Amino acid sequence: MKTALITGITGQDGSYLAELLLEKGYRVVGLKRRTSNIHTPNIDHLFKHPNFEVRYFSLEDASSIYRLLDEYQPDEIYNLAAQSHVRVSFETPEETVSGIVLGTTRLLEAARLIVPNVKFYQASSSEMFGANTEVPQSETTRFEPASPYACAKLFGHNMMRHYRERGMFACSGILFNHESPRRGENFVTRKISRAAARIKMGLQTELKLGNLDAKRDWGFAGDYVEAMWLMLQHDTPDDYVIATGETYSVKEYLEKTFEIARLDVDKYVSIDERLFRPEEVPLLLGDPTKAKAVLGWEPKVKFDQLVRMMFEAEFYGDSFNGSGDPDDE
């Protein structure tokens, strides 16, 4: 039985990935930070599984990393942990950068020393393309990070490549925006779907949003974790853009959600300039050609299906709704 370690287990990606690996017969060890609010709704349904367990650790504490790698001797490591809210990274740049940059480095170095034959997945981000408006964006597109989060992710991405050049089986997924009912409530897609449901139920009267013109390539997190796994099953390690190849604005996401909810956008939605990013990324559109050709990966959930899934999970209830945990890719 293979053993996989997943950092950021309580986030949407960690929970979907854990489900996938357990279905494939893995032993899964989820790693999470110790916080004062122990909130784990995304993985509560997994605790009774005999091959699943959660351990506390910190990417700021090298000793905890070395100890866990030595104890479990994992075959695969999926590094998903991060403070992943881009706008928050402008307000807490040092914490964001420290966790991603030094945390990733600590984990890679510990893996090199303790489990040198491990297969390592690094969660990179489309935010690394930043201000580069060349579209579509592929593995060869120039990176122009436009936030502390993106700068930190680019460092982690390059550090992973450095360890790969030294012989480690290390891959990165340059994932474009991916959503689900388990997404944290502070992300715009979940904020929209939750507000629409609450307005429909008479629990909320207004939704405030920032820039509606930003365009994103939105997919379903459950599809994207399959790509992570496929990367580590391939013969050679590499980097892959994971995306749908379609882009929609925040305004289009909002309008589609309110159309499904049968609500009037103009009646309930207002713009709050405090919610704008200090430096905006106007357009993200991924080219997943390489992932499709090499890994045989295809996104299954379309944009309209994703929007409906998000709203209906809020309106009808979903026991796995997101926690807002910052360990959420």
Side-chain angles (χ1 to χ4, degrees):
M1 178 185 296
K2 287 185 178 180
T3 296
L5 260 62
I6 303 174
T7 72
I9 188 64
T10 59
Q12 64 165 2
D13 289 10
S15 66
Y16 282 115
L17 179 60
E19 289 176 353
L20 176 70
L21 297 180
L22 289 169
E23 288 173 1
K24 293 183 178 297
Y26 280 67
R27 175 173 67 159
V28 175
V29 182
L31 306 183
K32 75 178 298 294
R33 295 173 307 120
R34 178 67 173 90
T35 60
S36 58
N37 182 14
I38 303 175
H39 197 48
T40 58
N42 286 343
I43 58 171
D44 284 346
H45 62 296
L46 298 177
F47 279 114
K48 292 184 179 179
H49 197 292
N51 295 330
F52 178 75
E53 62 180 298
V54 173
R55 295 288 299 273
Y56 289 116
F57 92 124
S58 172
L59 285 173
E60 303 288 343
D61 179 4
S63 66
S64 69
I65 298 171
Y66 280 79
R67 185 170 60 252
L68 287 164
L69 293 186
D70 185 57
E71 178 179 349
Y72 288 102
Q73 295 289 310
D75 301 282
E76 297 173 4
I77 296 173
Y78 296 85
N79 183 29
L80 311 183
Q83 188 300 101
S84 58
H85 196 281
V86 176
R87 188 177 180 280
V88 171
S89 77
F90 287 100
E91 299 179 11
T92 60
E94 185 176 342
E95 178 188 12
T96 300
V97 170
S98 177
I100 295 173
V101 170
L102 296 180
T104 299
T105 303
R106 291 187 186 102
L107 189 56
L108 283 164
E109 181 65 6
R112 182 184 73 84
L113 294 173
I114 304 298
V115 281
N117 295 321
V118 75
K119 293 185 175 182
F120 190 101
Y121 171 82
Q122 172 65 15
S124 293
S125 171
S126 61
E127 288 287 338
M128 299 188 307
F129 295 118
N132 189 339
T133 56
E134 173 191 332
V135 291
Q137 290 128 356
S138 71
E139 294 82 3
T140 59
T141 302
R142 184 178 68 254
F143 296 122
E144 296 183 20
S147 67
Y149 169 77
C151 291
K153 276 294 184 181
L154 182 54
F155 183 99
H157 178 78
N158 285 329
M159 184 62 76
M160 178 280 308
R161 297 180 71 178
H162 165 68
Y163 276 81
R164 184 167 67 211
E165 291 298 319
R166 296 176 66 184
M168 181 181 289
F169 192 109
C171 301
S172 76
I174 306 172
L175 270 58
F176 280 65
N177 291 64
H178 47 292
E179 317 298 322
S180 77
R182 305 180 192 180
R183 189 62 140 150
E185 293 176 5
N186 53 345
F187 289 84
V188 68
T189 50
R190 178 86 193 282
K191 185 177 180 180
I192 290 171
S193 61
R194 187 169 188 270
R198 287 175 57 82
I199 291 170
K200 192 70 175 176
M201 291 185 284
L203 301 175
Q204 187 170 329
T205 59
E206 184 182 19
L207 169 61
K208 294 183 179 181
L209 294 172
N211 181 17
L212 298 185
D213 296 324
K215 292 185 175 181
R216 296 291 182 266
D217 185 327
W218 275 304
F220 173 51
D223 290 341
Y224 285 33
V225 300
E226 181 183 14
M228 299 177 190
W229 177 76
L230 287 170
M231 290 178 210
L232 298 196
Q233 312 317 305
H234 195 59
D235 293 337
T236 54
D238 210 340
D239 306 328
Y240 297 89
V241 162
I242 304 301
T244 68
E246 299 178 354
T247 189
Y248 296 88
S249 67
V250 175
K251 183 179 181 181
E252 288 175 300
Y253 193 102
L254 169 67
E255 290 174 340
K256 176 58 67 173
T257 302
F258 273 57
E259 176 187 327
I260 293 169
R262 298 182 182 180
L263 294 170
D264 183 350
V265 170
D266 294 332
K267 182 177 179 180
Y268 296 105
V269 179
S270 62
I271 302 301
D272 186 341
E273 293 187 359
R274 293 174 300 177
L275 300 177
F276 280 62
R277 292 185 187 181
E279 184 178 359
E280 184 57 81
V281 174
L283 173 62
L284 292 175
L285 172 61
D287 178 2
T289 300
K290 181 178 176 181
K292 291 180 178 181
V294 177
L295 303 177
W297 177 83
E298 291 273 357
K300 301 179 181 67
V301 176
K302 303 298 183 183
F303 177 75
D304 286 3
Q305 293 173 296
L306 176 64
V307 177
R308 181 173 293 277
M309 176 198 304
M310 297 281 285
F311 170 74
E312 291 183 349
E314 299 287 353
F315 188 72
Y316 294 110
D318 185 330
S319 60
F320 305 149
N321 271 354
S323 65
D325 193 317
D327 284 352
D328 182 303
E329 276 299 331

